[in-house]
């Protein structure tokens, strides 16, 4: 266990880190499994509605990149953060959907981000789609005795939970991580050590993880996909692979996404992201995305999945922050 009483970040040792995963959906399951399988972390997970099933049966993952894993369980599963007031963690990894108009990240974390928590604050890692997802957590922790480090990530992964509870995943996966900051200042040594530690855990777990100096720009580039492919998929009620199976559908999708992409890139340039060569060529970006689906993975974008299940969509984080 890291000496969190004297540092806000875990030391660079080979001892497994203590990691809490909040949001044990497809993303949380994938990264929880990877970290434990490669002996990088001892994972505790908060699971509410799926708690009994995980305890009784475990979780099956079918991945074209990592193979088939049956009956995996985190080292510890709890139903509420209230059960963790005396548990120390190096990292808390938030893998929930960002729907602040329904529930904020601080509300999900509950007493962990208050003075009720009887351990030093961990490093928080946000594996969430959308822009501005860090703000409510940063505000909620700003008055704590020790303000924690927040790592934000641009996450690219094609994974879903199937109707039978199994997790499906294709071949594509990428994490681009950086320190969340409200101003453009260099990382402190503590922040850099926290970032190095997290990215190293992922790379040692066979994840394509890289540090980036401007995570806001990196997340904006990822949001190009969510705001175009993801939202159009929700509107048409079709997956991108289904667009490809019909010439007229593909033509409509390609033309519409091109128009959306041009507008999104105009906003990105106005924010200054074009000056750092973060923004992609739209034609290359769109063709690369479609090529992923031509491989035959019928991935369902999270926005379409939410429409099908009648759940709230990440409209504010994906589109509202752009507007």
């Amino acid at each position: 266990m890291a000496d969190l009483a004297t540092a806000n970040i875990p030391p660079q040792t080979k001892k497994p880190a203590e990691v809490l995963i909040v949001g044990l959906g497809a993303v949380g399951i994938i990264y929880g499994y990877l970290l434990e399988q490669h002996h990088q972390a001892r994972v505790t997970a908060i699971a509410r509605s799926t708690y009994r099933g995980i305890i009784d049966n475990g979780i099956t993952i079918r991945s074209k990149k990592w193979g088939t894993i049956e009956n995996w369980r985190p080292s510890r599963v709890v139903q509420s953060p209230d059960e963790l007031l005396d548990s120390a963690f190096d990292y808390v990894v938030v893998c929930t959907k960002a729907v602040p108009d329904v529930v904020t990240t601080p509300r999900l974390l509950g007493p962990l981000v208050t003075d009720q928590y009887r351990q030093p604050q961990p490093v928080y890692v946000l594996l969430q789609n959308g822009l501005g997802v860090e703000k409510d957590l940063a505000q909620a922790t700003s008055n704590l005795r020790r303000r924690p480090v927040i790592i934000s990530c641009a996450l690219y992964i094609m994974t879903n939970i199937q109707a039978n509870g199994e997790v499906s995943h294709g071949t594509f996966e990428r994490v681009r991580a950086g320190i969340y900051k409200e101003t453009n200042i260099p990382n402190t040594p503590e922040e850099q050590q926290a970032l190095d530690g997290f990215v190293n855990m992922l790379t040692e777990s066979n994840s394509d993880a890289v540090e980036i100096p401007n995570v806001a720009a990196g997340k904006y580039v990822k949001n190009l996909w969510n705001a175009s492919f993801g939202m159009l998929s929700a509107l048409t009620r079709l997956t991108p692979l289904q667009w490809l199976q019909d010439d007229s559908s593909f033509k409509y999708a390609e033309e519409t996404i091109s128009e959306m992409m041009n507008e999104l890139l105009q906003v990105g340039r106005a924010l200054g992201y074009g000056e750092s060569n973060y923004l992609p060529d739209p034609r290359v970006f769109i063709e690369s995305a479609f090529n992923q689906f031509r491989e035959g993975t019928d991935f369902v974008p999270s926005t379409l999945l939410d429409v099908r299940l009648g759940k709230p969509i990440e409209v504010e984080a994906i589109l509202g922050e752009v507007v």
Side-chain angles (χ1 to χ4, degrees):
M1 173 74 68
D3 184 6
L4 295 175
T6 58
N8 199 32
I9 38 77
Q12 300 293 320
T13 69
K14 291 189 178 296
K15 184 178 180 181
E18 292 290 336
V19 172
L20 170 65
I21 291 182
V22 180
L24 202 60
V27 170
I29 290 167
I30 288 287
Y31 288 102
Y33 162 74
L34 289 176
L35 290 172
E36 288 210 321
Q37 172 66 16
H38 294 272
H39 310 292
Q40 296 300 306
R42 178 181 181 272
V43 172
T44 298
I46 299 176
R48 294 176 172 85
S49 61
T50 58
Y51 173 82
R52 192 72 263 163
I54 293 171
I55 295 298
D56 292 343
N57 305 312
I59 302 165
T60 295
I61 303 169
R62 301 190 187 279
S63 169
K64 293 184 178 180
K65 179 175 181 177
W66 298 300
T68 296
I69 302 95
E70 296 183 338
N71 305 318
W72 175 73
R73 298 173 179 82
S75 292
R76 182 185 180 193
V77 185
V78 301
Q79 294 178 282
S80 168
D82 295 331
E83 301 175 53
L84 302 171
L85 294 179
D86 292 309
S87 299
F89 296 102
D90 298 310
Y91 294 94
V92 172
V93 184
V94 180
C95 303
T96 58
K97 285 184 171 60
V99 282
D101 46 329
V102 177
V103 59
T104 65
T105 298
R107 183 178 172 188
L108 285 172
L109 295 171
L112 300 182
V113 290
T114 72
D115 289 331
Q116 297 178 52
Y117 185 49
R118 293 185 280 269
Q119 297 291 337
Q121 280 293 310
V123 175
Y124 291 95
V125 181
L126 303 184
L127 285 176
Q128 296 177 302
N129 288 330
L131 308 175
V133 299
E134 312 89 352
K135 291 188 292 187
D136 58 359
L137 178 60
Q139 182 177 0
T141 57
S142 62
N143 294 323
L144 294 177
R145 287 189 294 269
R146 182 153 193 157
R147 188 169 185 171
V149 172
I150 298 175
I151 296 173
S152 195
C153 301
L155 173 64
Y156 300 78
I157 188 168
M158 294 182 179
T159 183
N160 294 125
I161 292 185
Q162 304 300 313
N164 61 2
E166 294 184 354
V167 175
S168 63
H169 171 250
T171 59
F172 191 65
E173 176 270 344
R174 180 186 299 165
V175 178
R176 299 296 180 258
I179 298 295
Y180 169 69
K181 295 177 180 294
E182 297 176 359
T183 57
N184 187 22
I185 58 175
N187 294 343
T188 66
E190 293 78 12
E191 289 170 336
Q192 190 60 49
Q193 189 177 356
L195 181 60
D196 291 345
F198 178 69
V199 171
N200 182 67
M201 282 198 305
L202 290 186
T203 56
E204 290 295 321
S205 300
N206 197 22
S207 168
D208 178 2
V210 175
E211 297 178 20
I212 55 176
N214 188 340
V215 72
K219 283 184 68 65
Y220 192 87
V221 172
K222 169 59 196 323
N223 199 60
L224 296 175
W225 195 100
N226 296 111
S228 57
F229 280 84
M231 287 301 174
L232 186 60
S233 184
L235 289 170
T236 61
R237 307 297 200 271
L238 298 172
T239 67
L241 182 59
Q242 289 173 316
W243 297 336
L244 289 167
Q245 293 169 347
D246 178 84
D247 289 343
S248 61
S249 294
F250 172 65
K251 181 179 179 181
Y252 171 78
E254 187 177 42
E255 291 176 352
T256 304
I257 287 173
S258 294
E259 293 175 5
M260 298 170 75
M261 191 69 64
N262 286 331
E263 292 190 20
L264 290 163
L265 289 171
Q266 286 178 12
V267 175
R269 285 189 286 270
L271 292 170
Y273 299 147
E275 298 173 4
S276 302
N277 296 320
Y278 272 97
L279 298 179
D281 180 304
R283 291 170 298 179
V284 174
F285 186 92
I286 293 170
E287 182 62 25
S288 175
F290 273 119
N291 283 339
Q292 292 293 326
F293 297 108
R294 288 189 177 97
E295 294 180 0
T297 300
D298 194 11
F299 166 69
V300 182
S302 61
T303 46
L304 174 56
L305 190 61
D306 288 338
V307 168
R308 290 177 174 177
L309 298 176
K311 293 184 176 181
I313 302 175
E314 300 162 293
V315 174
E316 184 60 34
I318 294 174
L319 295 179
E321 286 289 325
V322 176
V323 175

